[in-house]
Amino acid sequence: MMGVFRYDNKYAAPTKEQRERYMKGDSEEHLFGPDGQIMLIVYDEAAYLKDDIDGTRILFTGAKDKEKVYDEIKRLLDFHAHREDGSRSFL
């Protein structure tokens, strides 16, 4: 099953089956925000986004859904930059 899997708790994570199926092979890591609080890990068949500020984790699988990760990163950066308690360093 391809799609977008959202984990709204920093202790929740992709299942063992999801890790074995999608999160394998070569990967690239990219850090965003102050102190690298938002991490993107890109695999051949998936993209995994970890937001350590609010604990959200999102697994994007399949070529079509994997491309959605970049829109989500933009949304997260904008969200954190404009929060009342947000860091000005996101700007």
Side-chain angles (χ1 to χ4, degrees):
M1 183 172 150
M2 303 280 196
V4 178
F5 304 91
R6 182 178 206 83
Y7 311 93
D8 291 323
N9 177 326
K10 72 178 183 178
Y11 301 108
T15 64
K16 181 179 178 182
E17 179 184 356
Q18 289 171 327
R19 289 190 309 271
E20 290 174 351
R21 183 171 182 182
Y22 304 114
M23 301 169 78
K24 60 184 179 184
D26 293 335
S27 64
E28 296 176 21
E29 288 186 14
H30 305 276
L31 301 175
F32 301 91
D35 302 321
Q37 296 162 308
I38 299 173
M39 177 188 288
L40 169 64
I41 306 170
V42 180
Y43 300 91
D44 290 337
E45 297 184 29
Y48 186 56
L49 185 60
K50 293 173 49 177
D51 180 351
D52 287 335
I53 298 167
D54 63 10
T56 302
R57 275 80 168 113
I58 307 171
L59 175 63
F60 297 84
T61 62
K64 186 176 178 181
D65 287 327
K66 184 177 158 182
E67 293 302 315
K68 294 177 184 177
V69 73
Y70 301 104
D71 291 333
E72 184 66 15
I73 290 169
K74 289 177 192 172
R75 188 194 71 74
L76 283 173
L77 292 173
D78 186 55
F79 172 75
H80 290 305
H82 294 98
R83 285 172 53 172
E84 266 186 44
D85 62 343
S87 171
R88 297 292 300 162
S89 57
F90 274 98
L91 299 174

